[in-house]
Amino acid sequence: MTVTGLSATLPPAGLPGLDPALSRLVEVEGTAADVGHRRTWHILDTGDALADRGIVAQGTIVAVHGNPTWSYLWRALVNASLARAEAGAPAWRVVAVDQLEMGFSDRTDLRRTLAQRIADLSGLIEALGIPGPIVTIGHDWGGPVSLGWAVRNPARLAAVIALNTAVHHAEDAPLPFPLRVATARGVLAAGTTGTTAFLDTTLALADLDPAVRAAFRAPYATVARRRGVGGFVADIPATADDESTPALRSLSAGLRDLDVPALLLRGPKDPVFLEAHLDDLVDRLPHADVHRFEGAGHLMAEERPYADAVLDWLDQRVSVGADAASPAPVDDTPAPAPLWAALEARRADDDVAVIDMATGSADAPLRVSWRQLAARVDELAAGLDVLGVRAGDRVSLLVPPGPTLTAVLYACLRIGAVVVVADRGLGIRGLSRAVRGAVPDVVIGELAGLAAARALGWPGRRIAAAALPAAAMRALGVEASLADIARAGRGRTLPVPPDADADAAILFTSGSTGPAKGVVYTHRQLSSLRDALAEHFDVGPDTGLVTGFAPFALLGPALGTRSATPDMDVSAPRTLTASAVAAAVRASDAGIVFLSPAAVRNVVATADALGSDERAALDRVRTFLSTGAPVGTPLLRQAQRLMPNATAHTPYGMTECLLVADVTLPEIEEADASADRGVCVGAPIGRGRVRIAALDARGRATGTPTTDAGVTGEVVISAPHLKRGYFRLHLTDREATRDLDDLRGRWHRTGDVGHLDAAGRLWIEGRLPHVITTAEGPVTPVGIEQDVEAAPGVVRAAAVGVGPVGRQVIAVVIERDPAVRRPGVASAGLTEVVRAATALPIAAVLAVPALPTDIRHNSKIDRSRLARWAERVLAGEKPTAP
């Protein structure tokens, strides 16, 4: 049925996901400029359905769509709320409206401004007699409409929720490009009303089923029925003179006074409502829970399971009996010394603090003394303060490890700015996603980073790490160099130091198991990490560090010891050579060497190039650490032969908690003789604790985490230096702490799978998403991989599950020596060799020239990607590179 009339009507039958029984028409007396008219609205309303089932709602969710959608947008929320109520969960009535001029509500001759639409919504709520408590949820321009009602009715309000919207746009900033096009003279009427161009463009922002796309188009079949679409666009308050600007300013200011729970959900690929708009909302609602659905866009409600997220959040924050103010556990122990305390203590010391082997003269590396470093940190800190960088501002650092990065990082920490660290190891797409998602107030970078910031539209003021020509500064939008900042701060007083529990840093994960996540640390937690590292590895002023692993390259000054960064490409750890490590050790007289696993492999591979002086330098190393991913025992032995007087350690940790457990090579060799399967990573460090949440038959971590030996499950950890949370990933935070409320203190689900042995040592057996769910029960991959890698000719192996959950079979994908030229099913002979290597049944063996790994570590195998590839190949597709 094609709707062409201008009066309100019910939607045509058969729209996917829409129950016609929930549609109703409601007559409402007009308000404000519409007084004296009766208008008919179309709404979706679960009130009668709940009453028919004898279910009493605890409140009402009023859902307001934007332009050019209609109440159909909220069908998942409508359906999920009913299903959960029928299952006994807290019940919410949902009223999803079609705004006047939109959807299947009345078309009128009135030009509806933002203020009028807020008044319209108020009139509908009164006509329906909706009592409190009310939760508003809005999308697109339904956000300001719903929030406008919320600001005017705080006494009736239980919570506010917003999806991809905005309540403020800087007057000196242009509208987002799609809106500039839509509002352009000569385009607005033709694009929004005369044709379906605006509607088509909006619906193209998500990969919609054709029937769903047709449902969204159903109310807008004629020019007359699309007038509201054009009216919405024409009403966008882009300048101070626009008619709806006062209403937008009023509601945006009023948000600062709302103290009800708030949830902000966003699809970051939205070309209209940008990260800056979300940042503005967070500034106005600082208590809001925020989640960015990475990969989703403007029509996030069509791309992600937002309805369950909303209803779960309401259960947690708003429902009767919910603890709406459940604060995170607070560490009430005395705050450790700030991260810059050792730098302050050695500020009059002319000994070397930082050595950069990649810069300096042809004959000598760059050396910076403690006195020089402390003075530079003070100058930069004061200069940044002069520039207007304040406590809590986010500063993205696009500078490679070395003295410059060290100085600016400690300067930011000293004034309370939150440093954002996302390294080039994420790749350009991952780096751009991370930086844009962090919405930095300031970007400090070298030329390449600043050029990327300009080209990719990263937010934030720009500061150059090194002086640039004036033309380049203008072209890149750079307002100062670090040298300019230092001069501005010279001799000035520093601001008050930040509180120990203030946010200090956002460190991005490697992205090896999904989009990189921003991990938030407070000053207390970073200082606790320093103290755990110093105590466990006995780091003192004269220890000296060589840091070929980026996360630890910045801790030397915090530890009060000199540190050297070897000559390498930090974005590709496998570029580090044995000679470069030896040169850094010799230059710094280092007693400790930190390397990533990929770096270890190349250091061993290039050991034959070492001269006698270089080998003598490596003889002085007493502690060798490889961290970031597991290292096989044979490789660790080879590395220790290069540093024969060192104790080899492989600390276990992650970006969320950089030190969890530690094990030495002798302990690994002792553990290898046991019957345990997996990688032994040792006992917890310092005040750290480890528990295991057992796996059920479908590979899910369930039950109360335990310290019992032999239980395989998800690794759950706690430590003083555990992260505060994730940056704007509320659902990820919630999952990371799921079912851990009965454990005292702060805990985190790591996503790793393993077990504890009788001695309390932790064994890692893989990642939770990589557990293979066979008909006989869950199987972890690492033990199989260890068996297969011991077979002749196998370099590396990955065990993956193929088939439906609960009935998967095991497939093994290998790299071999000599390498295969093309990927595909392995030969019969090689298959038999692999099957004979392990006791578990192997359904298929495939061989590839190289297993896919993460960019940062070059060592974490992407088993999820391999599983999808193996399934396609075994289904008969022509093998391509995984």
Side-chain angles (χ1 to χ4, degrees):
M1 180 183 76
T2 300
V3 177
T4 59
L6 302 184
S7 298
T9 184
L10 296 175
L15 301 184
L18 187 65
D19 182 355
L22 302 179
S23 275
R24 57 183 291 207
L25 300 178
V26 181
E27 284 197 358
V28 179
E29 292 290 342
T31 60
D34 214 14
V35 167
H37 298 89
R38 291 182 65 81
R39 305 302 189 187
T40 303
W41 296 59
H42 167 253
I43 65 173
L44 303 178
D45 187 357
T46 64
D48 290 345
L50 290 172
D52 291 345
R53 293 163 173 78
I55 299 172
V56 178
Q58 62 179 334
T60 301
I61 302 171
V62 175
V64 187
H65 67 86
N67 188 30
T69 56
W70 55 288
S71 57
Y72 186 71
L73 180 78
W74 305 110
R75 67 195 182 283
L77 181 61
V78 168
N79 297 335
S81 67
L82 279 176
R84 290 164 69 117
E86 289 174 338
W92 289 92
R93 176 187 179 188
V94 178
V95 174
V97 308
D98 283 5
Q99 298 195 62
L100 292 173
E101 324 300 339
M102 303 293 290
F104 291 97
S105 291
D106 272 346
R107 270 49 175 180
T108 75
D109 293 328
L110 183 66
R111 180 174 178 272
R112 296 188 185 273
T113 62
L114 175 59
Q116 181 62 48
R117 290 195 175 279
I118 294 171
D120 291 341
L121 182 62
S122 296
L124 174 68
I125 290 173
E126 296 308 316
L128 290 172
I130 299 176
I134 292 176
V135 174
T136 65
I137 181 170
H139 169 255
D140 188 86
W141 291 109
V145 175
S146 61
L147 292 170
W149 183 91
V151 165
R152 296 181 184 184
N153 297 273
R156 301 171 65 184
L157 198 62
V160 293
I161 305 170
L163 283 60
N164 285 57
T165 192
V167 297
H168 170 75
H169 187 79
E171 292 176 10
D172 57 349
L175 286 175
F177 178 74
L179 293 184
R180 293 205 303 274
V181 173
T183 57
R185 181 177 298 176
V187 175
L188 194 155
T192 60
T193 305
T195 71
T196 60
F198 187 81
L199 177 62
D200 297 339
T201 301
T202 302
L203 297 180
L205 295 176
D207 184 15
L208 301 178
D209 180 273
V212 170
R213 186 179 295 108
F216 275 115
R217 296 171 64 90
Y220 304 115
T222 68
V223 170
R225 290 192 63 82
R226 290 193 293 271
R227 287 200 304 254
V229 175
F232 247 127
V233 174
D235 190 49
I236 293 172
T239 71
D241 297 330
D242 289 319
E243 188 173 358
S244 285
T245 294
L248 189 66
R249 286 176 174 172
S250 175
L251 79 89
S252 61
L255 287 180
R256 297 188 185 278
D257 297 324
L258 281 187
D259 58 1
V260 297
L263 176 64
L264 305 175
L265 302 178
R266 169 166 162 77
K269 292 175 66 176
D270 192 337
V272 177
F273 297 105
L274 310 178
E275 293 291 348
H277 295 127
L278 174 63
D279 206 41
D280 174 75
L281 274 167
V282 173
D283 179 63
R284 297 172 192 281
L285 295 167
H287 63 285
D289 295 313
V290 183
H291 188 83
R292 300 169 72 257
F293 287 96
E294 199 61 63
H298 180 72
L299 293 176
M300 184 208 73
E302 297 296 318
E303 300 178 282
R304 294 293 186 270
Y306 85 96
D308 285 331
V310 164
L311 294 169
D312 286 344
W313 179 82
L314 289 173
D315 288 349
Q316 179 188 16
R317 293 281 195 264
V318 182
S319 293
V320 176
D323 183 2
S326 55
V330 176
D331 187 345
D332 56 3
T333 58
L339 213 60
W340 57 86
L343 182 60
E344 181 68 25
R346 299 192 68 172
R347 65 168 41 255
D349 194 333
D350 289 315
D351 285 347
V352 173
V354 178
I355 303 172
D356 187 357
M357 303 300 294
T359 58
S361 68
D363 300 323
L366 176 64
R367 297 171 182 267
V368 179
S369 72
W370 291 99
R371 185 192 299 272
Q372 291 170 321
L373 181 59
R376 191 64 165 179
V377 167
D378 284 355
E379 291 171 352
L380 289 173
L384 289 169
D385 183 59
V386 169
L387 190 70
V389 179
R390 297 291 179 257
D393 286 354
R394 293 182 295 278
V395 180
S396 179
L397 302 180
L398 303 178
V399 182
T404 299
L405 177 59
T406 300
V408 73
L409 179 136
Y410 282 89
C412 289
L413 293 175
R414 173 59 185 79
I415 64 173
V418 180
V419 295
V420 179
V421 181
D423 63 60
R424 286 184 294 160
L426 294 175
I428 189 62
R429 289 181 63 187
L431 178 60
S432 184
R433 186 188 300 118
V435 173
R436 288 174 66 89
V439 202
D441 299 285
V442 179
V443 175
I444 301 176
E446 295 191 325
L447 181 60
L450 294 171
R454 183 72 167 183
L456 298 172
W458 296 345
R461 303 165 70 182
R462 313 288 163 78
I463 296 174
L468 297 173
M473 298 269 279
R474 288 194 299 272
L476 296 174
V478 174
E479 59 184 281
S481 69
L482 287 179
D484 298 329
I485 301 295
R487 279 193 295 272
R490 199 161 294 152
R492 291 182 176 270
T493 302
L494 293 175
V496 175
D499 184 79
D501 293 309
D503 289 348
I506 302 172
L507 310 180
F508 276 85
T509 63
S510 67
S512 59
T513 56
K517 299 183 288 290
V519 178
V520 182
Y521 278 91
T522 65
H523 285 269
R524 179 192 297 271
Q525 290 152 9
L526 287 181
S527 295
S528 296
L529 169 64
R530 172 206 58 203
D531 295 347
L533 187 67
E535 180 180 356
H536 185 74
F537 294 107
D538 191 23
V539 181
D542 296 320
T543 300
L545 310 175
V546 167
T547 51
F549 182 55
F552 289 108
L554 300 166
L555 283 175
L559 291 161
T561 194
R562 64 188 171 276
S563 59
T565 306
D567 187 1
M568 64 180 292
D569 179 355
V570 293
S571 67
R574 57 181 148 207
T575 61
L576 182 61
T577 65
S579 294
V581 173
V585 169
R586 185 164 51 183
S588 60
D589 194 23
I592 299 180
V593 173
F594 283 87
L595 300 178
S596 72
V600 173
R601 184 171 283 107
N602 199 55
V603 165
V604 168
T606 56
D608 290 344
L610 290 171
S612 58
D613 288 347
E614 292 170 319
R615 291 185 181 276
L618 293 176
D619 285 349
R620 296 198 293 269
V621 178
R622 63 174 176 80
T623 303
F624 158 62
L625 303 96
S626 179
T627 185
V631 179
T633 304
L635 181 59
L636 206 56
R637 290 194 186 106
Q638 290 177 288
Q640 182 160 30
R641 283 198 286 271
L642 295 178
M643 294 169 272
N645 298 312
T647 301
H649 295 251
T650 59
Y652 164 71
M654 59 219 60
T655 310
E656 292 85 348
C657 190
L658 289 166
L659 285 175
V660 175
D662 181 45
V663 66
T664 65
L665 178 57
E667 291 168 340
I668 292 172
E669 291 172 327
E670 177 188 344
D672 284 346
S674 74
D676 292 88
R677 293 168 63 79
V679 175
C680 180
V681 297
I685 288 174
R687 292 168 55 196
R689 293 173 287 171
V690 174
R691 290 175 176 261
I692 304 295
L695 299 180
D696 65 14
R698 296 176 66 83
R700 298 170 300 194
T702 58
T704 302
T706 180
T707 56
D708 293 346
V711 175
T712 295
E714 184 177 15
V715 178
V716 182
I717 62 171
S718 177
H721 50 278
L722 174 65
K723 64 167 174 63
R724 177 182 68 74
Y726 292 109
F727 184 70
R728 296 185 180 173
L729 291 172
H730 168 71
L731 302 182
T732 308
D733 269 329
R734 192 177 68 192
E735 178 59 25
T737 56
R738 172 179 53 84
D739 300 331
L740 301 180
D741 292 341
D742 291 338
L743 300 179
R744 187 173 180 180
R746 295 183 307 113
W747 289 82
H748 169 70
R749 291 181 176 272
T750 65
D752 286 338
V753 175
H755 70 275
L756 296 168
D757 64 16
R761 298 174 300 193
L762 175 62
W763 294 70
I764 299 299
E765 301 178 55
R767 292 283 297 169
L768 195 61
H770 303 155
V771 171
I772 303 165
T773 56
T774 71
E776 289 72 37
V779 174
T780 54
V782 170
I784 301 170
E785 294 164 358
Q786 290 173 319
D787 292 341
V788 173
E789 287 170 355
V794 177
V795 177
R796 287 196 295 181
V800 299
V802 175
V805 173
R807 291 184 291 154
Q808 289 183 325
V809 295
I810 303 169
V812 175
V813 187
I814 65 168
E815 281 182 30
R816 56 166 299 175
D817 185 18
V820 298
R821 295 179 60 190
R822 295 184 181 86
V825 177
S827 66
L830 182 56
T831 296
E832 288 308 310
V833 168
V834 170
R835 284 174 171 161
T838 183
L840 288 164
I842 306 300
V845 179
L846 302 98
V848 295
L851 292 169
T853 62
D854 67 294
I855 298 173
R856 178 185 287 175
H857 300 293
N858 305 142
S859 56
K860 294 182 179 179
I861 296 171
D862 191 340
R863 296 190 188 95
S864 297
R865 178 175 165 185
L866 280 175
R868 294 189 296 270
W869 173 81
E871 190 144 356
R872 293 195 302 270
V873 171
L874 295 174
E877 286 190 20
K878 182 179 179 180
T880 56

